[in-house]
Amino acid sequence: MSSQQRKIANRYGFKAGESIVYPAHGVGQIITIEEQEVAGHKLELFVIHFEKDKMHVKVPVAKAISIGMRKLSEIDLVDRALKVLQGRARIKKTMWSRRAQEYDAKINSGNLIAIAEVVRDLHRAENQPEQSYSERQLYEAALDRIAREIAAVNKLSERESIRLIEVNLIKNPKRSTNTEASEAEAA
């Protein structure tokens, strides 16, 4: 690491080596904070690596907060998000295209609770009708975002994180009674 990079190893409470949440891509890790000259101006940039997507993003340090980059959630917020998954799905009676836009906005907000609401609302138990392609795409995007953050916060594998999410989705009283009823019928 050069003296220039060492000098700027910590900005706005973010530091190199730290995992963060970038709203448009989810959990990433700050590799370094570097200076670059762009159009004759010196610019400090966070270099963020997203392992799952195999990509790097450079974010101007001065814009990080305004675009919604944040530290990983605290454990109590993760617990609140898991509680949201246990709630009853809230599906508005609006056209699918409008709901899809709202779900997409929630996913890209980076807000863990909002993402949990999308997972809760779009989750389908095995005894429920199948999702449309676009519903499934949004559900999987939301599930991926929440799973990656829960995995990072709780030091779990992504698979363990998804299992934890599924367990909480099943805790929904309406879903578990339906599942138990269908299991009783099958026996």
Side-chain angles (χ1 to χ4, degrees):
M1 188 182 325
S2 72
S3 62
Q4 188 71 349
Q5 287 174 318
R6 213 174 292 115
K7 188 178 83 176
I8 56 174
N10 188 337
R11 286 288 186 263
Y12 295 97
F14 297 108
K15 58 184 181 284
E18 177 179 31
S19 291
I20 54 88
V21 175
Y22 184 84
H25 301 293
V27 176
Q29 183 177 31
I30 299 174
I31 303 300
T32 186
I33 303 169
E34 67 182 30
E35 255 185 28
Q36 264 186 358
E37 193 167 317
V38 178
H41 299 289
K42 287 207 181 289
L43 194 59
E44 287 182 332
L45 301 165
F46 289 115
V47 180
I48 305 167
H49 177 68
F50 296 92
E51 178 62 35
K52 186 165 184 175
D53 302 324
K54 305 275 189 263
M55 73 174 178
H56 282 68
V57 172
K58 291 184 178 185
V59 177
V61 168
K63 298 256 184 217
I65 303 299
S66 66
I67 61 167
M69 190 169 109
R70 64 175 172 79
K71 292 183 173 290
L72 290 175
S73 297
E74 297 291 325
I75 195 77
D76 63 321
L77 186 63
V78 169
D79 291 342
R80 279 185 36 218
L82 291 171
K83 272 279 190 240
V84 166
L85 296 173
Q86 296 173 22
R88 176 182 231 131
R90 296 192 182 116
I91 300 172
K92 294 179 183 173
K93 301 285 185 223
T94 58
M95 291 179 55
W96 166 248
S97 60
R98 182 82 174 118
R99 285 196 331 251
Q101 285 178 331
E102 290 172 11
Y103 290 144
D104 195 48
K106 283 183 173 187
I107 293 167
N108 289 318
S109 72
N111 179 321
L112 195 63
I113 300 298
I115 296 167
E117 290 170 354
V118 175
V119 170
R120 176 200 65 205
D121 293 351
L122 293 178
H123 175 75
R124 290 283 204 281
E126 289 177 21
N127 62 343
Q128 291 179 303
E130 194 152 321
Q131 293 172 312
S132 71
Y133 177 77
S134 57
E135 274 183 304
R136 195 167 46 255
Q137 293 296 103
L138 285 168
Y139 174 74
E140 288 171 2
L143 183 62
D144 179 63
R145 290 284 171 84
I146 193 172
R148 285 163 63 181
E149 186 161 0
I150 289 173
V153 170
N154 290 341
K155 311 270 188 279
L156 301 170
S157 72
E158 212 168 309
R159 178 173 278 153
E160 291 168 324
S161 178
I162 288 173
R163 183 70 193 125
L164 179 61
I165 291 165
E166 289 170 345
V167 163
N168 279 279
L169 284 166
I170 292 169
K171 284 183 181 177
N172 175 319
K174 189 172 183 180
R175 285 192 186 115
S176 61
T177 51
N178 288 346
T179 306
E180 288 165 10
S182 59
E183 285 173 0
E185 289 171 15

